[in-house]
Amino acid sequence: MGGAYTGGSTEAPPGRFTLDSRETQLPSFGYPLCNTSTPCRPGLSALSGTALKLTVNGQDHEFDVAREMPLLWVLRDHLDLTGTKYGCGIGLCGACTVHIDGVAARSCSVLAGDAEGREITTIEGAAGLVSDLVREAWTEADVVQCGYCQPGQIMTAIALLSKNPKPDSDEVERAMNGVLCRCGTYLRVAAAVRRASEGL
Amino acid sequence: MTPLSRRGFLLGATAAGGLVALGGTSWLMRRPGLPGGGDYTIPYDPTVFLSIDPDGTVTLQSKHLEMGQGIMTGLATLVAEEMDADWSRFEVELAPADTAAFLNTHLGRQGTFASSGIANSWVQMRRVGAGARAMLVAAAAERWGVVEGEVSVAGGVLRHEPSGRRASFGELAHAAMAQPTPDPETLELKSPAEWERIGHTALRVDAPEKISGEAAFALDVRRPGMLRAVVARPPRFGGVVAGFDAEAALDVPGVREVIEIPSGVAILADDTWSAMRGREALPVDWDDAGAESRSTDSILTEYREIAQRPGVLALDRGDVESALGGAAQTLDYEYTFPYLAHTPMEPLSCVMERTDEGVEVWAGCQLQTLEQWAVAQVMDLDLEQVRINTVFAGASFGRRANPRTDWIPELAHIVRVSRLNRPVQLVWTREDDVRGGCYRPVSLHAGRVGVDASGAIAGWEHRAVSASLVLGTPWSYADARAGVDRATAGGIMETTYAVPDLRVDVHAPTSPVPVGFWRSVGDGHTIFMIETLLDELAERSGRDAVEFRLTHLREDARAQAVLERAAEAIGWWGGPPGGRAYGVASSFDDVSGRRTYVSMIAEVGLDVGRLDIHRIVAAVDCGVVINPNIVAAQIEGSVAFAVSTVLRNEITLRDGFVVQSNFHDFEPTRLAEMPQVEVHFVSSDTPPSGIGEAGVAPVAPAVANAVAALTGRRFRALPLPLHELGATLGASPGPVIRPTGLHP
């Protein structure tokens, strides 16, 4: 992952298909790359107003992208932080959940320009006691199936427990109800949140 | 052993190239037909599937797609068991498209379908593990100058106790590679008493990277200079492009190219959002002359008329007319079921780029043989020039096993036409997914069933009207070519209930609406029909619903045991708690002779003015259980998958347009609606039969039967008409479901 990656190992797991974003940052190709430092097309900056400045996982970034681009796509396509998932684009599924100033937010429904000056944390940058306990609990409860919604589940759980370390079952249900899992890992999601809460 | 290339066992396991001919004909010749389906050789060579690093890490190529079902963990368990490998140094990779090496042993084509992942690998993968162990033992014996019988293996280490010598798998990998591949028939596999991994719970091997967020799905693949593409597709199935104004889309910042392809107009841009904005700006005229223009209601009206006429005979045993004539009671029925979308959480996506050899693809590819062939057709390449890297799929439920193929060759069309020569990632939005077809087909089931004075089923004639999933597709099979698609008439044709006099015929009307496999396939509707009818027949005969079923299962001890276990586990005979009801249903699913037994009892309440599915108690016999935790997870997931089809899910056509578009009007089950699920295993020593789908079909009829017990009303359609029952949905969405901005 890119330099903004602060959670877990920076090494991709061995032997798997890996995301080589380092390669994409080397201007060794016969065409201009569209990334954080190269405008996609002449005039884009003018159209989109001033450069966008975001603080993601503790690092400052500047982009030449439209300020009305949803935060989700800036994270995914311009920072290659692919742990934040696209599921519906209209704030109904929670797969794109990130923390903005510590609060869970649907990055598909937040305009990038509105996130300026805020602390944005993605699954790659989530760290600390609550994050550790949540991930341990996720492992012990063997929650995941396909895994696609799990970053959103985990980010939602971390936000909940950071604010309310001892949620009752109704509070767990209310907080987690907004994150869809088509594989149906819900019973284990709820169990893992309770388990993580025990360590707080 | 066919001389498959030895790709593994050593460092740097190589790509799929270089496979040689099987049976004298080359796989690699361009050919009009889809490969496979004829004679084929099952590979057992450990070097095809395994590599061993010098540090002792064993890496298995998973010939099956991981889409949440846990197959990587299951296959690893089978191999590691027989290999006596060190589990902490056992890794799994998703194998690329390579039919000869990674075929599904049930079909001779590479693919993950019909809950067959473990079943088709059960013998093969254990032989691969045992073969690898034998080669390592032979290498150790040769190096140490001892007899093989004195070499023991445990935890990835070989030992010669008399001399005290020992070596790790890594140290002997080179030498083992030079050993002859053992004859798979002579390999002795462990007895169940010797199993240390099979039947025990191991944490999933794919969990850590999915918890860290690093797991790469197709949407997460990044290639240098990659463009994103979205496609404007006809709003009605079967429509085609009549004209479009590319300039309007090209004026959107970031849009690079606008091109026509067979499925619509593709917009290529620097990022996904720009591509989506380009599509919004693109005016397209559609020619709907050949498009579906009916509404669901009118389709069902036509189906009702079709059902008046005999269809293609699928099954006719006993003497149905006499049996029905002599029945004490008969029941005429008509059931209807809507189109259903799969909506896996990861919408469809794939990445493709041109290479010196041909093209390289990254996809959560479920039917590799089919997709590779389809891409080769589009690009006019040989199969070997199409490299498909299989990546994690954000679930599928059948969506990625489209017998017609769609999104992968769609991207091939884009790459073929594009003048930019850059890698392209195709993105289907959620709206594209919900409106993209490949649905479980709308269907109508009609017939008559009788019971005699003793309460035994006496005659059953059944007619199914449903579009065929496979007829006319490259994936078609023999039955379908004869006009009978078991994928839509299944469930009733193979029922294990005693129905001596049974006739089934089918109609397969066609439509431009593409339909496909949807988790549990035909059972999803036929089991609803069977199990709600059995409940009603039991009631009319004055019999208990479980006892009535048991008397019809006398010939099937496994089915009896599973149903009895579910009934005992919930305390069926003691009755439900006050204000609630139990409903029972089973799927004794049979796929090509593999029968999986699942009985479920739902505990349901309407007592607080809404339908609450409190819990589902399930009993399961799926043969040998490789990993109980994963089997339980499949049952839990099946319940979640089915509950929303009971409550609300349907795809409806209005004048050919799909009404639904996203999760607000096609909303999957949410956490608050999830019943408690208990899974009870009935132990079995038969080979594993598959568990990915069998848990889906019983859920809806079990709930419907429970609601019938509460209300006295029987149901002939899904979703249940909750508004007519005065019930509101169980979930209260609450503020978290609304789109949240910065200030939730």
Side-chain angles (χ1 to χ4, degrees):
Chain A
M1 310 296 278
Y5 189 77
T6 58
S9 164
T10 54
E11 296 283 321
R16 292 200 196 289
F17 171 73
T18 57
L19 304 176
D20 197 347
S21 58
R22 190 186 51 180
E23 194 183 353
T24 67
Q25 289 161 7
L26 296 173
S28 59
F29 305 96
Y31 41 79
L33 293 174
C34 175
N35 60 22
T36 55
S37 58
T38 312
C40 295
R41 179 177 163 129
L44 178 58
S45 300
L47 284 169
S48 58
T50 55
L52 177 72
K53 292 177 188 168
L54 291 179
T55 307
V56 182
N57 298 333
Q59 295 212 346
D60 295 333
H61 300 270
E62 233 179 275
F63 307 88
D64 263 311
V65 300
R67 302 174 65 79
E68 64 269 28
M69 184 181 290
L71 176 60
L72 168 69
W73 297 113
V74 179
L75 296 173
R76 288 187 54 82
D77 289 358
H78 293 271
L79 275 178
D80 285 345
L81 290 171
T82 54
T84 304
K85 304 302 187 193
Y86 164 70
C88 70
I90 55 174
L92 294 176
C93 77
C96 66
T97 301
V98 298
H99 298 165
I100 299 180
D101 292 340
V103 177
R106 305 289 166 85
S107 63
C108 75
S109 302
V110 175
L111 304 185
D114 290 344
E116 273 195 333
R118 310 292 187 108
E119 289 285 340
I120 301 159
T121 308
T122 70
I123 184 81
E124 291 91 346
L129 175 66
V130 177
S131 170
D132 291 347
L133 286 171
V134 165
R135 291 178 205 242
E136 273 172 43
W138 242 253
T139 301
E140 287 161 12
D142 219 15
V143 173
V144 308
Q145 289 191 32
C146 88
Y148 191 79
C149 74
Q150 297 301 336
Q153 304 278 3
I154 287 168
M155 293 302 281
T156 305
I158 293 172
L160 166 70
L161 294 174
S162 298
K163 199 173 174 182
N164 177 6
K166 297 291 180 193
D168 63 28
S169 57
D170 283 349
E171 288 169 324
V172 171
E173 194 172 287
R174 271 202 300 278
M176 303 308 299
N177 199 43
V179 192
L180 283 173
C181 173
R182 193 69 163 131
C183 298
T185 62
Y186 295 131
L187 298 173
R188 292 163 192 252
V189 165
V193 173
R194 287 193 296 271
R195 189 192 285 251
S197 168
E198 286 164 13
L200 291 169
Chain B
M1 186 64 223
T2 314
L4 288 163
S5 66
R6 296 199 156 198
R7 76 194 57 228
F9 242 59
L10 296 170
L11 282 172
T14 54
L19 291 183
V20 297
L22 293 179
T25 54
S26 172
W27 275 97
L28 308 178
M29 286 167 52
R30 201 170 310 166
R31 46 195 289 171
L34 177 68
D39 292 340
Y40 55 94
T41 304
I42 297 174
Y44 292 103
D45 187 339
T47 67
V48 171
F49 297 96
L50 297 172
S51 63
I52 304 174
D53 285 352
D55 72 354
T57 302
V58 178
T59 304
L60 168 69
Q61 296 291 312
S62 169
K63 66 198 180 95
H64 290 296
L65 171 66
E66 179 62 66
M67 45 192 164
Q69 80 277 41
I71 192 66
M72 291 168 85
T73 310
L75 297 181
T77 301
L78 299 182
V79 174
E81 176 72 69
E82 293 293 340
M83 199 175 174
D84 290 314
D86 177 359
W87 185 252
S88 69
R89 279 196 274 183
F90 201 98
E91 298 190 351
V92 189
E93 293 176 359
L94 295 170
D98 184 338
T99 297
F102 301 122
L103 55 79
N104 185 312
T105 70
H106 285 176
L107 192 63
R109 289 175 181 154
Q110 187 179 357
T112 305
F113 49 81
S115 301
S116 67
I118 286 292
N120 94 94
S121 308
W122 169 239
V123 172
Q124 183 195 26
M125 284 297 122
R126 286 183 301 149
R127 283 180 172 175
V128 164
R133 185 187 190 279
M135 291 165 79
L136 287 157
V137 166
E142 196 173 278
R143 178 172 296 180
W144 297 333
V146 302
V147 295
E148 291 181 14
E150 290 181 355
V151 178
S152 64
V153 188
V157 176
L158 299 107
R159 287 186 178 79
H160 183 246
E161 297 295 350
S163 64
R165 274 178 285 206
R166 50 169 287 160
S168 73
F169 281 6
E171 290 169 71
L172 284 166
H174 264 99
M177 179 78 177
Q179 298 295 325
T181 305
D183 176 355
E185 301 292 335
T186 65
L187 292 168
E188 204 170 307
L189 300 178
K190 289 181 182 176
S191 70
E194 296 171 291
W195 288 338
E196 294 172 354
R197 308 208 163 275
I198 294 170
H200 300 271
T201 286
L203 295 179
R204 297 175 56 118
V205 298
D206 52 336
E209 61 194 302
K210 290 178 174 178
I211 291 171
S212 73
E214 292 166 299
F217 300 84
L219 263 175
D220 304 330
V221 172
R222 297 292 179 266
R223 300 295 301 163
M226 185 176 85
L227 298 171
R228 272 70 167 190
V230 299
V231 175
R233 297 183 191 83
R236 286 167 156 161
F237 297 108
V240 293
V241 175
F244 61 97
D245 175 14
E247 283 307 313
L250 286 166
D251 283 344
V252 173
V255 172
R256 296 280 183 179
E257 195 175 24
V258 178
I259 51 182
E260 186 176 349
I261 55 172
S263 60
V265 183
I267 297 92
L268 283 69
D270 290 316
D271 57 44
T272 314
W273 189 69
S274 301
M276 287 157 56
R277 293 227 306 174
R279 182 169 69 174
E280 285 165 20
L282 178 75
V284 185
D285 289 329
W286 302 101
D287 176 357
D288 280 351
E292 176 63 80
S293 60
R294 294 173 295 172
S295 301
T296 300
D297 285 348
S298 44
I299 291 173
L300 281 171
T301 300
E302 286 181 29
Y303 281 14
R304 201 161 282 127
E305 288 162 13
I306 291 170
Q308 303 302 313
R309 305 188 295 272
V312 178
L313 193 62
L315 176 73
D316 192 4
R317 69 172 178 237
D319 184 343
V320 175
E321 270 72 28
S322 299
L324 282 170
Q329 304 184 60
T330 59
L331 184 58
D332 292 298
Y333 61 84
E334 179 199 284
Y335 285 80
T336 59
F337 300 94
Y339 288 110
L340 285 172
H342 309 74
T343 61
M345 286 309 299
E346 181 199 18
L348 299 174
S349 177
C350 53
V351 173
M352 192 175 299
E353 68 185 43
R354 290 181 183 274
T355 62
D356 290 344
E357 294 77 32
V359 293
E360 187 159 7
V361 181
W362 290 261
C365 188
Q366 194 168 346
L367 303 177
Q368 285 92 341
T369 298
L370 178 64
E371 303 289 1
Q372 187 182 38
W373 172 80
V375 171
Q377 299 293 308
V378 172
M379 303 294 288
D380 196 23
L381 294 169
D382 293 328
L383 291 177
E384 64 176 347
Q385 294 176 281
V386 178
R387 177 175 172 85
I388 300 181
N389 303 290
T390 309
V391 299
F392 285 128
S396 172
F397 316 116
R399 181 61 185 88
R400 297 172 209 275
N402 182 355
R404 286 159 182 79
T405 75
D406 49 359
W407 86 108
I408 297 176
E410 180 177 64
L411 178 54
H413 280 291
I414 293 170
V415 169
R416 180 191 175 102
V417 176
S418 172
R419 288 167 288 106
L420 300 176
N421 195 27
R422 285 167 62 171
V424 183
Q425 178 172 55
L426 174 64
V427 179
W428 282 47
T429 64
R430 177 59 61 196
E431 289 79 7
D432 297 337
D433 173 56
V434 171
R435 295 187 160 168
C438 198
Y439 304 130
R440 190 176 92 177
V442 64
S443 64
L444 183 142
H445 295 267
R448 172 179 292 177
V449 57
V451 282
D452 66 19
S454 74
I457 293 172
W460 194 333
E461 57 179 349
H462 180 76
R463 182 160 298 151
V465 187
S466 171
S468 169
L469 309 188
V470 297
L471 194 61
T473 76
W475 200 258
S476 194
Y477 35 72
D479 280 4
R481 284 189 284 274
V484 178
D485 185 352
R486 281 177 180 268
T488 54
I492 179 76
M493 286 172 69
E494 307 88 4
T495 184
T496 191
Y497 290 111
V499 187
D501 307 292
L502 173 64
R503 183 169 61 232
V504 178
D505 68 31
V506 297
H507 289 277
T510 58
S511 154
V513 181
V515 294
F517 301 105
W518 189 96
R519 193 179 190 180
S520 80
V521 196
D523 288 2
H525 30 109
T526 57
I527 298 279
F528 184 85
M529 179 269 296
I530 293 169
E531 290 289 336
T532 52
L533 285 174
L534 290 178
D535 232 57
E536 196 168 341
L537 293 172
E539 186 184 38
R540 288 183 175 215
S541 307
R543 306 274 289 277
D544 174 81
V546 168
E547 186 255 345
F548 179 82
R549 286 171 172 81
L550 288 172
T551 60
H552 288 89
L553 293 170
R554 287 201 196 100
E555 302 299 312
D556 192 333
R558 292 177 72 190
Q560 277 199 327
V562 168
L563 179 53
E564 284 172 351
R565 183 63 175 276
E568 285 160 14
I570 202 167
W572 173 268
W573 313 106
R580 296 183 184 179
Y582 291 154
V584 62
S586 301
S587 164
F588 303 132
D589 177 63
D590 184 310
V591 181
S592 314
R594 292 179 284 122
R595 214 181 267 280
T596 293
Y597 300 84
V598 178
S599 289
M600 287 184 174
I601 296 174
E603 182 181 320
V604 166
L606 279 165
D607 47 355
V608 290
R610 63 181 195 181
L611 173 62
D612 278 320
I613 307 169
H614 291 284
R615 63 173 173 152
I616 302 274
V617 173
V620 177
D621 175 357
C622 56
V624 172
V625 173
I626 313 305
N627 187 319
N629 195 34
I630 291 177
V631 172
Q634 284 301 297
I635 297 295
E636 293 162 22
S638 295
V639 169
F641 196 69
V643 160
S644 55
T645 70
V646 180
L647 298 178
R648 56 180 169 260
N649 284 166
E650 57 185 320
I651 293 289
T652 41
L653 298 184
R654 187 181 296 146
D655 301 328
F657 298 101
V658 178
V659 172
Q660 293 76 16
S661 63
N662 204 316
F663 290 138
H664 61 293
D665 51 13
F666 193 88
E667 187 179 19
T669 304
R670 288 191 179 271
L671 181 139
E673 298 167 316
M674 183 70 191
Q676 288 302 309
V677 178
E678 290 173 27
V679 181
H680 299 267
F681 291 98
V682 175
S683 66
S684 176
D685 56 5
T686 58
S689 51
I691 197 61
E693 299 174 273
V696 173
V699 176
V703 171
N705 288 336
V707 177
L710 281 172
T711 62
R713 180 166 169 190
R714 294 287 171 183
F715 301 97
R716 295 276 189 268
L718 286 173
L720 297 182
L722 297 176
H723 54 285
E724 295 172 20
L725 302 174
T728 56
L729 299 193
S732 71
V736 287
I737 290 184
R738 290 201 307 269
T740 53
L742 284 176
H743 307 288

